[in-house]
Amino acid sequence: MFYTLHRLVKWSVVLVALAGVYWLYLQREALEPVWVWYDVYENGGIERTEPLPALRGEGLNIIDGHTFQMKSRGAIYSVRLTGFDLPVPPVSAGEAKLEKERREVLHRFVIGKPVQVDVTYSNLNSVLGIIEAGGTNLNTYYIANGLSHFNREYVKTVPRDLQYRFFSASRAREKKQVLAMRSE
């Protein structure tokens, strides 16, 4: 009798634990910010809270899908979006199509419009940064729409809130890809 009762209690505890795990699985959308903050922590960005220096100007012309020229305070700067791997030559047909799309997006958002660059690195008149144009963060826009390959190593020096935006855009892109694969 005691052995049967012991076994019944043991299986009840196992079933309750499995039900708890299943409930957590159902709540995975609500836990998404926890995983994104873990990505920021793992990337070493939790302590960084200081704002980046900003540079404001107007976009002049497009150099490539990640780079454009900007006029600010009488000087012309070459500005590159931070956080992305460069395409390695020889470029495939798919990558050439993406490059054309990146150039069109950059042209639409930047040319002749006010632009703010949160500078992550600068060297003379060359700037690497996070681009805000027309109320849109172009770096996260590129990630969320699959226009470029995000490299987490390139945003290690960025403050935590900006890193959070990068990682959440990356997770949103991954979800989009999973949903697209399921619908096919």
Side-chain angles (χ1 to χ4, degrees), residues 17-62:
L18 286 175
V21 169
Y22 179 69
W23 180 81
L24 283 174
Y25 172 75
L26 293 176
Q27 303 302 318
R28 66 188 179 277
E29 291 293 323
L31 297 173
E32 187 69 27
V34 172
W35 301 122
V36 175
W37 276 117
Y38 177 75
D39 286 340
V40 173
Y41 168 76
E42 191 177 51
N43 205 41
I46 289 294
E47 296 91 30
R48 292 184 176 86
T49 59
E50 68 284 348
L52 294 172
L55 186 63
R56 295 177 195 275
E58 181 179 320
L60 296 177
N61 65 357
I62 306 301

Side-chain angles (χ1 to χ4, degrees), residues 6 8 23-24 35 60 69 83 94 103 133-134 136 143 146 154 184:
H6 178 264
L8 181 66
W23 180 81
L24 283 174
W35 301 122
L60 296 177
Q69 286 185 329
R103 285 175 183 247
T136 303
I143 295 170
Y154 297 157
E184 290 177 356

Side-chain angles (χ1 to χ4, degrees), residues 6 70 78 87 139 149 164 174:
H6 178 264
M70 177 178 88
S78 176
N139 301 67
H149 181 261
Y164 183 87
E174 290 169 4

